[in-house]
Amino acid sequence: GPQRQPSPSRPVTLVVSGLLSYFPVHALSPAIFDNATGQAVYHMPLTYAPSARQALTARREPRPQGTSGRLLSIADPRPLAQGLTPLPLSRVEAELVARTARKPLLLQGEQATPQAFLEQASRHEVLHLACHGSAGTGAPGSAWLALAGGLLSLEEILTRLVLDDTALVLLTACRSGQADRAVPEESLDPASMFLAAGARA
């Protein structure tokens, strides 16, 4: 007979806190398999959020669908703060990501400044940042993303960005989704701040 397709399920959102926030819940994808065929017959999509408040914020209506194809990509910002090395392969990543968009805007090298990102971010449905980053240390604004000529602080993300039309933010930056080591119950990492600024995922 015809092969059974995996039955979809409504997404389940996991909210983890404390030391559990270090567990890679994004790697989970529960499925039930048919013993006879080995095929997946049930699949439960998982999403995760740093807090219940941010999960509700991300789910609010209307939800942008990412259909305009407008992508802003930041990659290999230069010059960098002392001690940080260039990320030339992030340009390759950005170009591959840009192929998925109809209207990509790539800012690389000296163009990838905090000011340019803050000016352009709210005009795009998908944001991609391939740069250095750091989780917080418990002090307000201590987490950051390193862009050309300066740092983009979490305080700037929260106070200067309105991302109500942003469907997705993709961060490929070290520790961008890691909880604050000093206060792991608080969501002070870069990924959480983009959700708090209005991004849906």
Side-chain angles (χ1 to χ4, degrees):
Q3 285 190 340
R4 295 174 63 187
Q5 295 296 317
S7 299
S9 174
R10 293 189 61 137
V12 172
T13 300
L14 299 179
V15 177
V16 294
S17 63
L19 294 177
L20 284 176
S21 62
Y22 291 94
F23 187 76
V25 294
H26 55 279
L28 297 173
S29 184
I32 297 175
F33 295 88
D34 186 307
N35 289 334
T37 65
Q39 297 290 320
V41 294
Y42 176 82
H43 177 255
M44 178 188 295
L46 292 180
T47 62
Y48 63 102
S51 71
R53 181 190 303 261
Q54 288 181 357
L56 289 173
T57 298
R59 286 185 171 185
R60 74 190 187 281
E61 300 291 345
R63 301 186 69 187
Q65 300 299 314
T67 55
S68 76
R70 292 183 60 83
L71 162 77
L72 172 63
S73 179
I74 298 283
D76 192 25
R78 303 184 193 193
L80 291 169
Q82 186 174 4
L84 298 178
T85 58
L87 301 168
L89 288 180
S90 66
R91 294 180 184 238
V92 176
E93 177 183 314
E95 289 165 7
L96 290 172
V97 171
R99 292 180 187 176
T100 68
R102 290 191 299 278
K103 300 175 184 176
L105 173 61
L106 278 67
L107 300 179
Q108 302 176 350
E110 294 180 355
Q111 294 181 320
T113 64
Q115 187 61 33
F117 175 75
L118 291 170
E119 289 175 357
Q120 291 289 337
S122 62
R123 303 175 190 170
H124 295 80
E125 283 184 307
V126 178
L127 306 178
H128 168 246
L129 293 99
C131 57
H132 287 284
S134 177
T137 59
S142 60
W144 48 264
L145 296 171
L147 301 186
L151 301 180
L152 178 66
S153 71
L154 299 197
E155 184 176 354
E156 288 179 293
I157 294 171
L158 279 177
T159 60
R160 298 186 59 186
L161 287 181
V162 178
L163 300 178
D164 290 340
D165 296 322
T166 301
L168 175 68
V169 177
L170 174 61
L171 292 171
T172 51
C174 291
R175 294 180 289 280
S176 55
Q178 179 179 319
D180 192 298
R181 288 176 292 177
V183 282
E185 290 78 13
E186 296 296 330
S187 302
L188 301 175
D189 60 280
S192 298
M193 294 301 100
F194 278 105
L195 290 174
R200 297 315 206 281

